[in-house]
Amino acid sequence: MKIILKLLAVLFLSLTMTGCVAVLLGGGAAAGGYAVAKDKGPVGQYTDDSVITSKVKARLLAEKDMKSYKISVTTNDGVVTLTGSVPTEDMRMRAITIARDTAEVRAVNVTNFKVKP
């Protein structure tokens, strides 16, 4: 129940402060950045960017292994940008997958999302 309340609080704050709050998840990174494209529907029918950002942040916070790392999440026209670092490539790929699989995400930019052991 506490997790649900925390997730709802994060969602509410993210919606009211659009882009002003960074999710404390971070970590490390090694490989170079790239974008993972994903189109969910016709142009112009994407959910508001702040809602997408909130959904991605909530899903990342729900991951026990990623809670203690700082991962910043922003969204522009349905393109989610992850920045920060995590200690392993597996964690980096998990965060990318979480963002990519979130509803209404068109693409994920990870140019500045690195692995730093």
Side-chain angles (χ1 to χ4, degrees), residues 55-116:
K55 288 178 182 179
V56 173
K57 287 179 178 182
R59 292 186 69 200
L60 289 170
L61 281 172
E63 292 288 317
K64 286 185 179 183
D65 294 344
M66 291 192 208
K67 282 184 182 180
S68 62
Y69 300 104
K70 185 177 180 184
I71 301 172
S72 177
V73 180
T74 58
T75 307
N76 186 20
D77 292 330
V79 177
V80 171
T81 299
L82 300 177
T83 56
S85 59
V86 290
T88 68
E89 182 63 23
D90 286 343
M91 290 181 81
R92 181 178 179 273
M93 293 308 298
R94 180 68 185 133
I96 292 168
T97 299
I98 287 169
R100 186 186 64 228
D101 290 347
T102 300
E104 305 304 325
V105 172
R106 292 185 5 199
V108 180
N109 179 344
V110 294
T111 302
N112 293 312
F113 186 45
K114 309 292 181 190
V115 173
K116 290 184 184 175

Side-chain angles (χ1 to χ4, degrees), residues 25-42:
L25 297 171
Y34 58 90
V36 181
K38 184 173 107 177
D39 193 356
K40 289 252 185 185

